[in-house]
Amino acid sequence: MASSSGNDDDLTIPRAAINKMIKETLPNVRVANDARELVVNCCTEFIHLISSEANEICNKSEKKTISPEHVIQALESLGFGSYISEVKEVLQECKTVALKRRKASSRLENLGI
């Protein structure tokens, strides 16, 4: 995806994160550096595609904040419907973790910490 601002380096996934995912997914496989770079570029492009579509859906809904529902609708409209069940599972996990953090934070506040 060509960027009009020319600062694509600011908008990429950290290589360390990609390397970790590759190692976890394919522990016994060596992956060339140019293949790793290609994976980073593909992931970045995918995120740009989904976020742009989610933004359009958000604007059509006359909302100002992209919600998880907008992202799910974007996945569906772009032909990635097979990912939706897994996305919903991850969303639920994130909500659970966030709730636990809020509870822990409020307990510390109640203790005066």
Side-chain angles (χ1 to χ4, degrees):
M1 182 166 108
S3 174
S4 59
S5 61
N7 60 352
D8 281 343
D9 289 339
D10 297 340
L11 302 174
T12 61
I13 298 170
R15 276 136 187 79
I18 295 297
N19 290 337
K20 183 179 178 186
M21 284 191 278
I22 290 171
K23 282 185 180 182
E24 288 175 0
T25 307
L26 306 167
N28 300 320
V29 176
R30 291 181 59 189
V31 181
N33 285 337
D34 56 344
R36 290 175 191 269
E37 186 68 26
L38 181 60
V39 171
V40 169
N41 291 336
C42 289
C43 291
T44 302
E45 182 65 27
F46 181 75
I47 292 169
H48 285 195
L49 179 67
I50 299 300
S51 59
S52 294
E53 183 69 17
N55 186 49
E56 287 182 27
I57 292 169
C58 179
N59 288 336
K60 288 178 186 172
S61 306
E62 298 181 1
K63 304 287 182 183
K64 295 190 183 239
T65 304
I66 296 173
S67 70
E69 290 75 25
H70 297 135
V71 174
I72 291 169
Q73 288 176 13
L75 288 168
E76 183 68 41
S77 70
L78 292 170
F80 296 106
S82 61
Y83 293 118
I84 291 175
S85 62
E86 193 170 345
V87 166
K88 287 181 178 180
E89 288 175 21
V90 171
L91 175 61
Q92 189 56 48
E93 288 174 25
C94 290
K95 286 181 179 181
T96 302
V97 168
L99 182 61
K100 286 180 183 177
R101 284 186 186 150
R102 281 195 298 271
K103 284 182 180 179
S105 175
S106 66
R107 275 189 251 140
L108 291 175
E109 289 173 5
N110 290 339
L111 293 172
I113 297 175

